Tab-separated table of all heavy atoms in Angstrom:
chain	number	residue	atom	x	y	z
J	484	ALA	N	-2.883	-1.537	33.501
J	484	ALA	CA	-2.852	-0.215	32.860
J	484	ALA	C	-3.509	0.778	33.804
J	484	ALA	O	-4.562	0.502	34.385
J	484	ALA	CB	-3.597	-0.240	31.533
J	485	ASP	N	-2.868	1.936	33.956
J	485	ASP	CA	-3.405	2.960	34.870
J	485	ASP	C	-4.800	3.404	34.468
J	485	ASP	O	-5.588	3.851	35.288
J	485	ASP	CB	-2.505	4.204	34.865
J	485	ASP	CG	-1.127	3.864	35.383
J	485	ASP	OD1	-1.018	2.858	36.127
J	485	ASP	OD2	-0.167	4.577	35.043
J	486	THR	N	-5.068	3.309	33.174
J	486	THR	CA	-6.361	3.795	32.684
J	486	THR	C	-7.440	2.722	32.738
J	486	THR	O	-8.564	2.948	32.312
J	486	THR	CB	-6.223	4.268	31.228
J	486	THR	OG1	-5.525	3.253	30.505
J	486	THR	CG2	-5.475	5.558	31.152
J	487	GLY	N	-7.090	1.544	33.243
J	487	GLY	CA	-8.070	0.461	33.320
J	487	GLY	C	-9.195	0.782	34.286
J	487	GLY	O	-9.039	1.600	35.195
J	488	GLU	N	-10.309	0.125	34.091
J	488	GLU	CA	-11.469	0.378	34.942
J	488	GLU	C	-11.613	-0.681	36.038
J	488	GLU	O	-12.490	-0.575	36.877
J	488	GLU	CB	-12.739	0.413	34.088
J	488	GLU	CG	-12.770	1.596	33.138
J	488	GLU	CD	-14.082	1.658	32.369
J	488	GLU	OE1	-14.275	0.810	31.467
J	488	GLU	OE2	-14.897	2.537	32.658
J	489	SER	N	-10.777	-1.714	35.975
J	489	SER	CA	-10.865	-2.761	37.001
J	489	SER	C	-9.781	-2.533	38.055
J	489	SER	O	-8.624	-2.285	37.733
J	489	SER	CB	-10.641	-4.139	36.388
J	489	SER	OG	-11.531	-4.362	35.339
J	490	GLN	N	-10.194	-2.636	39.312
J	490	GLN	CA	-9.228	-2.548	40.403
J	490	GLN	C	-8.772	-3.980	40.698
J	490	GLN	O	-9.609	-4.873	40.818
J	490	GLN	CB	-9.925	-1.932	41.626
J	490	GLN	CG	-9.039	-1.730	42.826
J	490	GLN	CD	-7.934	-0.701	42.582
J	490	GLN	OE1	-8.163	0.341	41.992
J	490	GLN	NE2	-6.716	-1.016	43.037
J	491	ILE	N	-7.467	-4.183	40.755
J	491	ILE	CA	-6.992	-5.548	41.007
J	491	ILE	C	-5.998	-5.591	42.165
J	491	ILE	O	-5.321	-4.601	42.469
J	491	ILE	CB	-6.371	-6.182	39.749
J	491	ILE	CG1	-5.219	-5.322	39.215
J	491	ILE	CG2	-7.397	-6.371	38.653
J	491	ILE	CD1	-3.927	-6.032	39.202
J	492	TYR	N	-5.921	-6.756	42.780
J	492	TYR	CA	-5.036	-6.999	43.916
J	492	TYR	C	-4.352	-8.322	43.663
J	492	TYR	O	-5.020	-9.340	43.479
J	492	TYR	CB	-5.844	-7.068	45.213
J	492	TYR	CG	-6.675	-5.830	45.446
J	492	TYR	CD1	-7.943	-5.713	44.886
J	492	TYR	CD2	-6.172	-4.768	46.202
J	492	TYR	CE1	-8.709	-4.571	45.077
J	492	TYR	CE2	-6.927	-3.620	46.396
J	492	TYR	CZ	-8.193	-3.525	45.824
J	492	TYR	OH	-8.945	-2.393	46.002
J	493	ALA	N	-3.020	-8.305	43.637
J	493	ALA	CA	-2.343	-9.554	43.282
J	493	ALA	C	-0.996	-9.698	43.965
J	493	ALA	O	-0.386	-8.724	44.406
J	493	ALA	CB	-2.166	-9.612	41.777
J	494	ASP	N	-0.584	-10.925	44.039
J	494	ASP	CA	0.773	-11.280	44.442
J	494	ASP	C	1.619	-11.205	43.176
J	494	ASP	O	1.234	-11.783	42.147
J	494	ASP	CB	0.723	-12.727	44.967
J	494	ASP	CG	2.079	-13.227	45.439
J	494	ASP	OD1	3.103	-12.766	44.898
J	494	ASP	OD2	2.085	-14.080	46.330
J	495	LYS	N	2.755	-10.534	43.251
J	495	LYS	CA	3.471	-10.326	41.988
J	495	LYS	C	3.997	-11.623	41.361
J	495	LYS	O	4.290	-11.660	40.173
J	495	LYS	CB	4.554	-9.256	42.122
J	495	LYS	CG	5.849	-9.598	42.759
J	495	LYS	CD	6.709	-8.346	42.693
J	495	LYS	CE	8.096	-8.410	43.269
J	495	LYS	NZ	8.858	-9.607	43.162
J	496	ASP	N	4.051	-12.689	42.153
J	496	ASP	CA	4.470	-13.989	41.609
J	496	ASP	C	3.562	-14.486	40.479
J	496	ASP	O	3.996	-15.269	39.637
J	496	ASP	CB	4.475	-15.064	42.703
J	496	ASP	CG	5.657	-14.886	43.638
J	496	ASP	OD1	6.547	-14.052	43.317
J	496	ASP	OD2	5.689	-15.559	44.690
J	497	VAL	N	2.330	-14.022	40.479
J	497	VAL	CA	1.406	-14.523	39.472
J	497	VAL	C	1.839	-14.103	38.061
J	497	VAL	O	1.509	-14.747	37.066
J	497	VAL	CB	-0.057	-14.072	39.777
J	497	VAL	CG1	-0.312	-12.643	39.373
J	497	VAL	CG2	-1.062	-15.017	39.129
J	498	PHE	N	2.648	-13.052	37.985
J	498	PHE	CA	3.144	-12.588	36.688
J	498	PHE	C	4.306	-13.444	36.178
J	498	PHE	O	4.723	-13.316	35.039
J	498	PHE	CB	3.583	-11.120	36.774
J	498	PHE	CG	2.419	-10.193	36.963
J	498	PHE	CD1	1.921	-9.931	38.226
J	498	PHE	CD2	1.799	-9.606	35.866
J	498	PHE	CE1	0.827	-9.106	38.407
J	498	PHE	CE2	0.702	-8.779	36.039
J	498	PHE	CZ	0.217	-8.525	37.313
J	499	GLU	N	4.821	-14.298	37.045
J	499	GLU	CA	6.019	-15.059	36.684
J	499	GLU	C	5.707	-16.450	36.140
J	499	GLU	O	6.592	-17.125	35.644
J	499	GLU	CB	6.944	-15.211	37.916
J	499	GLU	CG	7.297	-13.904	38.617
J	499	GLU	CD	7.999	-12.916	37.696
J	499	GLU	OE1	8.750	-13.376	36.832
J	499	GLU	OE2	7.762	-11.690	37.835
J	500	ILE	N	4.469	-16.879	36.241
J	500	ILE	CA	4.156	-18.247	35.808
J	500	ILE	C	4.385	-18.390	34.303
J	500	ILE	O	3.882	-17.602	33.512
J	500	ILE	CB	2.692	-18.620	36.161
J	500	ILE	CG1	2.472	-18.501	37.668
J	500	ILE	CG2	2.364	-20.036	35.676
J	500	ILE	CD1	1.045	-18.808	38.112
J	501	GLU	N	5.169	-19.402	33.942
J	501	GLU	CA	5.445	-19.664	32.523
J	501	GLU	C	4.388	-20.627	31.994
J	501	GLU	O	4.200	-21.696	32.573
J	501	GLU	CB	6.820	-20.337	32.381
J	501	GLU	CG	7.982	-19.525	32.905
J	501	GLU	CD	8.593	-18.653	31.826
J	501	GLU	OE1	8.252	-18.880	30.650
J	501	GLU	OE2	9.381	-17.760	32.163
J	502	ILE	N	3.744	-20.274	30.912
J	502	ILE	CA	2.681	-21.173	30.463
J	502	ILE	C	3.196	-22.293	29.558
J	502	ILE	O	2.530	-23.300	29.389
J	502	ILE	CB	1.501	-20.419	29.799
J	502	ILE	CG1	1.956	-19.624	28.589
J	502	ILE	CG2	0.823	-19.516	30.804
J	502	ILE	CD1	0.784	-18.976	27.868
J	503	ASP	N	4.411	-22.101	29.025
J	503	ASP	CA	4.929	-23.127	28.111
J	503	ASP	C	5.188	-24.467	28.782
J	503	ASP	O	5.300	-25.486	28.119
J	503	ASP	CB	6.224	-22.632	27.447
J	503	ASP	CG	5.926	-21.493	26.496
J	503	ASP	OD1	4.773	-21.413	26.031
J	503	ASP	OD2	6.832	-20.670	26.242
Side-chain angles (χ1 to χ4, degrees):
D485 297 337
T486 48
E488 293 184 287
S489 305
Q490 182 65 43
I491 57 119
Y492 304 86
D494 181 330
K495 79 178 180 35
D496 286 350
V497 79
F498 291 85
E499 307 301 326
I500 301 178
E501 300 269 347
I502 59 175
D503 291 336

